[in-house]
Amino acid sequence: MRIAVPAEAKGTETRVAATPETVKKFIGLGASVTVEAGAGQGAGIPDAEFEAAGASIAKNGKDAAKDADIVLKVRRPGEAELKGYKAGAIVVATMDPYGQDEALAAMAGAKISAFAMELMPRITRAQVMDVLSSQANLAGYRAVVDGAAEYGRALPMMMTAAGTVPAARIFIMGVGVAGLQAIATARRMGAVVTATDVRPATKEQVESLGAKFLAVEDEEFKQAQTAGGYAKEMSAEYRAKQAELTASHIAKQDIVITTALIPGRPAPKLITAAMVESMKPGSVIIDLAVERGGNCELSRPGEVVVSPNGVRIVGHLNVAGRLAATASSLYAKNLYAFVETMIDKKEKVLKPDWEDELVKATLLTRDGAVVHPNFQPKA
């Protein structure tokens, strides 16, 4: 049983899909592990540490993946990478499958079994495998750190001999895992925090962290959550009412952090250009949804945009990757916990149970076909 850990091909990706800790655990399960040279460089893990854990170092991705039974990645493999994978190999990564018909067809054509970690069901058994939560948690923390750095002023109230420094006002839009961590971090740093979300269950969570909840609480709001705990797409009428409520609130804020995403859909536009114009010079917007089109009309992927009235709109890509060492450690543990379920520990061989609920929920392609029911090719 061979496991390969290639370096990530995308230039903005600093994370790696395994750590020396998980390498040791895989070897303990009977696997041999090969890591591409430099794969852990962005996360501060030198090749020597992987070698000390028992891994072999390959000079390139092709050599690392040659004859591998399992390939562990952070991002979906590109066509060039797929050429180096053997037919039947299990590839585990965050696959970003929505709207990627060509990429899914390419993986099917390579005859790999591709698993999308972001499709992991949110059940008790799978909590330790939840990459969305582990990475979003770090993104929420980093968003507050980035916001404080761009804001250029102190966040907590300070009473000094020279005068009193008022506490910064921070508004969190979208209270998922990232939003909750942003609230907790901003509160720890001494800011006055408010938050909003369309899901009614989040109100209690926001208030339990010491922040104030802001939302239009009508009948549609009470039904605005899916059975899986995700936000539903709201009607145009509700969005208009919510925008009116938040517009006056945003004008008073020092830092606004947006985290709103709906799986398989473009990010909802929460902050208009007019709202940005209403904010004070020096205010900051951190848009964590910029890779899906952004929650702010003026966001630009990978850029810090300064509006005509002096508002800084931050659109960093791969925010979890800005904490690459921690993000890699958590992500690698998520992958290990999942892959471990597909290994027969007694015989020390790879033995996936294709009927297992976790396997069925995350498996995209197998035996040359796209098999996930949500991503079947259109007729």
Side-chain angles (χ1 to χ4, degrees):
M1 180 172 51
R2 291 196 63 245
I3 296 176
V5 184
E8 295 300 312
K10 191 171 182 179
T12 58
E13 188 52 75
T14 54
R15 294 169 293 176
V16 63
T19 62
E21 179 185 354
T22 60
V23 165
K24 286 180 183 177
K25 290 182 176 180
F26 280 124
I27 291 172
L29 293 176
S32 63
V33 182
T34 303
V35 179
E36 181 180 352
Q41 185 175 358
I45 308 173
D47 295 342
E49 289 190 17
F50 281 117
E51 283 188 296
S56 302
I57 304 299
K59 62 181 180 180
N60 55 48
K62 185 177 180 181
D63 288 350
K66 184 180 180 183
D67 297 324
D69 302 296
I70 303 171
V71 180
L72 304 179
K73 284 184 57 62
V74 177
R75 305 251 182 180
R76 180 184 65 237
E79 287 195 47
E81 294 173 277
L82 289 171
K83 292 175 183 176
Y85 300 167
K86 74 174 186 180
I90 285 174
V91 181
V92 186
T94 48
M95 294 290 184
D96 187 23
Y98 294 101
Q100 300 293 333
D101 293 350
E102 288 186 15
L104 295 182
M107 290 193 292
K111 296 186 178 179
I112 63 169
S113 296
F115 288 89
M117 287 297 291
E118 66 267 55
L119 300 180
M120 191 67 65
R122 287 191 162 172
I123 58 176
T124 302
R125 178 186 167 211
Q127 283 182 335
V128 69
M129 310 168 195
D130 189 350
V131 299
L132 290 181
S133 291
S134 73
Q135 303 304 291
N137 191 52
L138 293 174
Y141 165 80
R142 183 70 202 211
V144 178
V145 173
D146 286 341
E150 295 287 348
Y151 183 50
R153 297 171 176 81
L155 296 192
M157 184 181 75
M158 295 183 182
M159 300 181 71
T160 74
T164 299
V165 177
R169 295 178 178 273
I170 298 182
F171 183 36
I172 314 296
M173 304 184 75
V175 188
V177 174
L180 288 170
Q181 182 56 249
I183 292 169
T185 302
R187 289 285 296 145
R188 285 196 296 268
M189 295 177 73
V192 175
V193 184
T194 52
T196 188
D197 196 287
V198 298
R199 295 167 298 159
T202 60
K203 181 178 181 179
E204 186 178 341
Q205 296 171 325
V206 166
E207 291 173 346
S208 72
L209 291 171
K212 184 177 178 181
F213 190 71
L214 184 81
V216 175
E217 300 184 42
D218 61 9
E219 284 303 312
E220 185 175 358
F221 172 78
K222 293 174 185 177
Q223 307 297 325
Q225 186 167 321
T226 67
Y230 294 101
K232 289 183 181 177
E233 188 168 19
M234 306 300 282
S235 69
E237 291 78 14
Y238 183 88
R239 292 199 303 269
K241 288 188 287 186
Q242 181 72 358
E244 186 179 349
L245 176 66
T246 57
S248 59
H249 188 68
I250 283 176
K252 304 168 190 172
Q253 303 305 301
D254 300 304
I255 299 173
V256 180
I257 297 171
T258 70
T259 74
L261 283 172
I262 300 168
R265 305 250 184 176
K269 290 290 183 268
L270 304 179
I271 302 179
T272 64
M275 292 178 185
V276 175
E277 192 176 339
S278 74
M279 296 177 72
K280 297 172 289 187
S283 300
V284 178
I285 296 170
I286 307 289
D287 193 340
L288 290 184
V290 72
E291 292 188 48
R292 292 288 183 276
N295 295 140
C296 176
E297 282 186 350
L298 303 183
S299 298
R300 296 290 179 270
E303 297 181 25
V304 178
V305 177
V306 181
S307 72
N309 61 319
V311 177
R312 300 180 70 80
I313 304 155
V314 181
H316 291 314
L317 299 171
N318 189 20
V319 176
R322 291 169 64 77
L323 296 163
T326 307
S328 296
S329 174
L330 296 179
Y331 181 77
K333 289 174 183 175
N334 294 147
L335 263 59
Y336 172 79
F338 178 53
V339 173
E340 181 191 23
T341 67
M342 295 190 280
I343 295 175
D344 186 317
K345 297 174 183 62
K346 189 174 182 180
E347 298 181 17
K348 297 196 171 184
V349 294
L350 185 60
K351 200 172 183 180
D353 176 2
W354 300 106
E355 295 303 313
D356 182 273
E357 62 181 328
L358 304 185
V359 169
K360 291 173 77 172
T362 55
L363 183 63
L364 290 174
T365 66
R366 185 185 178 204
D367 295 335
V370 177
V371 296
H372 198 288
N374 293 353
F375 301 99
Q376 292 294 317
K378 294 181 179 66

